Amino acid sequence: MKCTTCIAGKYQDQRNFCGCKSCQIGKSQDQIQSTSCKDCNVGEYQDSLGTTFCKRCSAGRYGVTTAMTDLNRCKICDEGKWSLAGLSECYACPGGT
C-alpha cells in the first residue's frame, strides 16, 4: 500500500497509518502533509470539516475564545459599540456618531 500526502484541510497524527483525517470544526490547516490542525484564532470560527481557513466573525460581532465552531458563538457588540470583522472586542462609537 502506498501512502499519499495529506492535502490542506486534512492531517495524519499517527505514524505507520495511511490515510488522512479531516480537520474538525473550529480548526483549519492550510499546509499539506500536516500532523495536526490549528485552532481558529480569537475572532474566527469554522463550522465545516476539512477546511483550509477559518471564517472571521462578521462586522458588529466579536470572538472571545479560540476554536469557535459557528457564527452564533461570535458575540454581538452592545449598543453604542462597533467592531470590524475578525476582531476580539468591540469599541465605543466616537462622539457625534
Side-chain angles (χ1 to χ4, degrees):
M1 176 186 259
K2 181 180 177 186
C3 292
T4 58
T5 299
C6 293
I7 62 172
K10 298 188 179 282
Y11 72 102
Q12 180 50 264
D13 57 352
Q14 298 175 313
R15 291 184 177 268
N16 301 321
F17 281 88
C18 291
C20 302
K21 304 172 188 177
S22 293
C23 292
Q24 298 297 310
I25 59 173
K27 298 176 180 278
S28 69
Q29 181 51 263
D30 61 357
Q31 303 293 311
I32 62 170
Q33 202 169 349
S34 296
T35 58
S36 65
C37 295
K38 300 177 276 190
D39 286 348
C40 294
N41 294 323
V42 172
E44 298 178 338
Y45 70 97
Q46 184 47 261
D47 54 2
S48 299
L49 296 172
T51 61
T52 59
F53 65 94
C54 292
K55 301 171 185 176
R56 297 187 301 174
C57 293
S58 55
R61 292 178 173 257
Y62 65 103
V64 295
T65 63
T66 61
M68 293 193 310
T69 56
D70 64 66
L71 176 61
N72 292 327
R73 296 199 182 263
C74 298
K75 297 181 181 274
I76 297 173
C77 294
D78 292 333
E79 188 172 332
K81 295 190 173 193
W82 64 274
S83 178
L84 296 174
L87 295 182
S88 61
E89 61 184 301
C90 294
Y91 300 94
C93 294
T97 61

